[in-house]
Amino acid sequence: MADAASRLSRFAEQVLGVPLPVRIRAWDGSQAGPPGAPTLVVRNRRALRRLLWKPGELGLARAWVAGDLDIEGDLYATLDLLAGFLWERAEDARGLGGALRDPEVRAAVRGLVRMAGPPLPPAPPREEVRTSRHRHTRRTDRRAISHHYDVGNDFYELVLGPSMVYSCAYWDSPDGTLEAAQADKLDLICRKLGLASGTRLLDVGCGWGSMAIHAAREYGAHVVGVTLSQEQAAYARKRVADEGLTDRVEIRVQDYRDVTDGPFDAISSIGMAEHVGAERYLEYADRLYGLLEPGGRLLNHQIARRPQRVESAYAVDEFIDAYVFPDGELAPIGTTVTQLERAGFEVRDVESIREHYALTLRHWVANLEAGWPRAVRLTSPGRARVWRLYMAASALSFERNRIGVNQVLAVRTPETGDSRMPLRSRTWGS
């Protein structure tokens, strides 16, 4: 009988229609695949059971998070090789369902089932969150935010570094430091919003307070920051106090829909709108429009996906939904601009900074890998593996233009047409 690695490699080739571009090493020590290629390690038979019970991305994700699957060699190179052969080909009409019409493939599946061992499905890793049929209610939004952000402030310090900014940095060059690039991003947003002494700013999804602190300290703004995360709020309040800015910065645990003390001169929403969802996006835009004074500016910093020929075919990524951002949704930039305009905003500037996010993510992955033993202690082996996979795969997605990130500057322009924008705004006062 052929060894496990050869059988797995042959089965993958039968289903996918092409040879796997990576080597496989199985639990019995056997290896198969292109010499010198990165190696996909199948540590035990349980990995097969996960894939048989849940074919596709979720089965692979469960096996990765549980440690049943691993990668030896360059993580980015391996993910780049596998992306076109597993995740993207899962959408191909040939797929597993089509392949099963082949008698040889059916026979191989039966052999795989026997090789996998006991038929009962393994329990999902404890890091997996159960999704709700009712998305983007206040309760499910709080639960989703807590799942992602209440991992522990020490863990985020390890990954994000001293800036504690969990969004795309803004780089002068790839050789710069993460901290300098994050400071430049915050300053860019402040300039786009036209902040000045006494400006009243609402920071929606304020995270650990970095934007609020920068706006108050560097521009003299008076800031209200809102978050749904108790851990973030506690951390942000301490930072504000340590900076001596409690007279200018207020951090609240509050849903942005419950903010009633407008109007504000400016609103920043940095990496928050991805949590809103398509069905709620116009409500989000309407609410922020209503919180701005006439002539006030919104800076919406948001990840975007590529548009699909048939938009109804869009589905939330299974791995991201189950392990990273429950209920998170991405929209094309055109859809975002349209929704902001429907709410009444005049969109004045759209800046794509896609490559900047790839650089940022690679720095976060490097931080995680450098502090791996501590990251595992602070969370769990499974959670650390989730973050490593999601950030590395996301970096590649930005590099390959599968997803992007944009800063949209919009104004609540009054009927007079006076937007209060400079004639040459792209200098942003720099």
Side-chain angles (χ1 to χ4, degrees):
M1 180 178 291
D3 59 59
S6 297
R7 294 172 68 187
L8 291 172
S9 184
R10 187 163 54 250
F11 174 75
E13 182 174 346
Q14 287 175 308
V15 171
L16 298 173
V18 290
L20 270 179
V22 298
R23 288 183 66 76
I24 292 178
R25 188 171 80 240
W27 59 89
D28 62 354
S30 61
Q31 298 190 48
T39 300
L40 183 66
V41 181
V42 185
R43 294 196 182 281
N44 50 56
R45 300 172 190 268
R46 187 169 58 247
L48 302 188
R49 295 201 295 278
R50 292 190 188 281
L51 290 169
L52 288 168
W53 279 94
K54 202 69 176 178
E57 184 173 338
L58 188 56
L60 286 166
R62 287 174 172 174
W64 171 269
V65 174
D68 303 328
L69 284 180
D70 207 348
I71 289 172
E72 286 185 359
D74 188 297
L75 176 63
Y76 294 102
T78 308
L79 292 176
D80 210 18
L81 287 170
L82 289 175
F85 291 84
L86 296 176
W87 287 276
E88 291 174 11
R89 282 178 178 265
E91 300 175 1
D92 194 292
R94 175 169 168 77
L96 183 57
L100 284 174
R101 289 193 288 270
D102 185 328
E104 291 187 8
V105 175
R106 290 201 301 272
V109 170
R110 287 193 291 271
L112 203 64
V113 170
R114 289 192 295 272
M115 185 166 57
L120 292 178
R126 65 185 179 88
E127 291 81 6
E128 183 171 316
V129 65
R130 291 185 180 181
T131 56
S132 170
R133 292 184 297 108
H134 306 290
R135 290 177 178 264
H136 303 296
T137 65
R138 291 171 188 260
R139 181 179 64 82
T140 58
D141 281 353
R142 283 195 301 272
R143 187 185 69 171
I145 293 298
S146 177
H147 172 82
H148 189 75
Y149 293 106
D150 292 342
V151 178
N153 294 328
D154 290 344
F155 176 79
Y156 276 101
E157 283 182 340
L158 186 154
V159 174
L160 304 180
S163 64
M164 286 299 281
V165 180
Y166 186 35
S167 56
C168 175
Y170 195 66
W171 301 83
D172 273 334
S173 78
D175 299 325
T177 67
L178 177 61
E179 288 68 43
Q182 289 292 13
D184 286 349
K185 186 272 299 294
L186 297 176
D187 209 64
L188 176 67
I189 292 172
C190 290
R191 296 198 307 272
K192 286 184 176 183
L193 288 172
L195 299 188
S197 180
T199 300
R200 194 156 186 255
L201 170 68
L202 173 64
D203 187 26
V204 178
C206 66
W208 293 272
S210 298
M211 174 63 190
I213 290 169
H214 189 89
R217 184 183 61 215
E218 304 299 328
Y219 288 84
H222 290 263
V223 189
V224 173
V226 296
T227 176
L228 293 178
S229 168
Q230 296 282 354
E231 289 195 23
Q232 282 186 335
Y235 189 97
R237 286 169 183 154
K238 184 179 185 305
R239 291 181 72 194
V240 168
D242 289 345
E243 291 276 354
L245 294 171
T246 53
D247 60 329
R248 276 183 271 169
V249 178
E250 178 188 1
I251 302 295
R252 304 173 184 168
V253 178
Q254 186 178 35
D255 193 299
Y256 74 95
R257 289 165 288 196
D258 295 329
V259 176
T260 59
D261 53 334
F264 293 88
D265 302 299
I267 298 176
S268 54
S269 179
I270 309 169
M272 178 271 177
E274 297 89 341
H275 296 287
V276 171
E279 291 184 6
R280 299 281 188 180
Y281 203 92
L282 185 56
E283 176 187 348
Y284 160 82
D286 281 336
R287 186 66 190 143
L288 298 191
Y289 183 87
L291 286 167
L292 276 173
E293 69 163 15
R297 300 181 191 179
L298 165 69
L299 192 289
N300 190 76
H301 176 117
Q302 181 177 342
I303 298 172
R305 62 176 171 84
R306 303 290 296 172
Q308 304 207 356
R309 290 187 180 275
V310 180
E311 273 296 306
S312 59
Y314 169 68
V316 176
D317 182 280
E318 286 187 302
F319 168 62
I320 298 294
D321 198 39
Y323 288 99
V324 186
F325 289 109
D327 295 356
E329 295 179 46
L330 301 182
I333 180 58
T335 300
T336 296
V337 168
T338 296
Q339 294 288 63
L340 291 172
E341 289 181 329
R342 286 179 65 193
F345 282 106
E346 179 188 10
V347 172
R348 296 299 303 240
D349 186 80
V350 178
E351 182 177 5
S352 171
I353 52 175
R354 174 175 60 81
E355 294 88 350
H356 294 253
Y357 219 154
L359 284 169
T360 304
L361 283 156
R362 282 182 176 264
H363 276 75
W364 289 344
V365 171
N367 287 345
L368 176 61
E369 291 177 341
W372 186 260
R374 184 164 181 260
V376 169
R377 291 196 303 271
L378 290 171
T379 54
S380 68
R383 183 61 66 91
R385 290 172 67 82
V386 166
W387 278 75
R388 183 169 180 248
L389 177 62
Y390 128 72
M391 292 193 298
S394 295
L396 290 171
S397 292
F398 282 108
E399 289 168 355
R400 302 293 182 264
N401 192 28
R402 298 183 187 121
I403 54 177
V405 62
N406 304 278
Q407 289 189 353
V408 179
L409 180 65
V411 179
R412 180 176 174 168
T413 304
E415 291 183 5
T416 62
D418 181 11
S419 68
R420 305 181 191 171
M421 292 289 293
L423 289 176
R424 293 189 178 186
S425 57
R426 269 300 176 110
T427 59
W428 305 125
S430 60

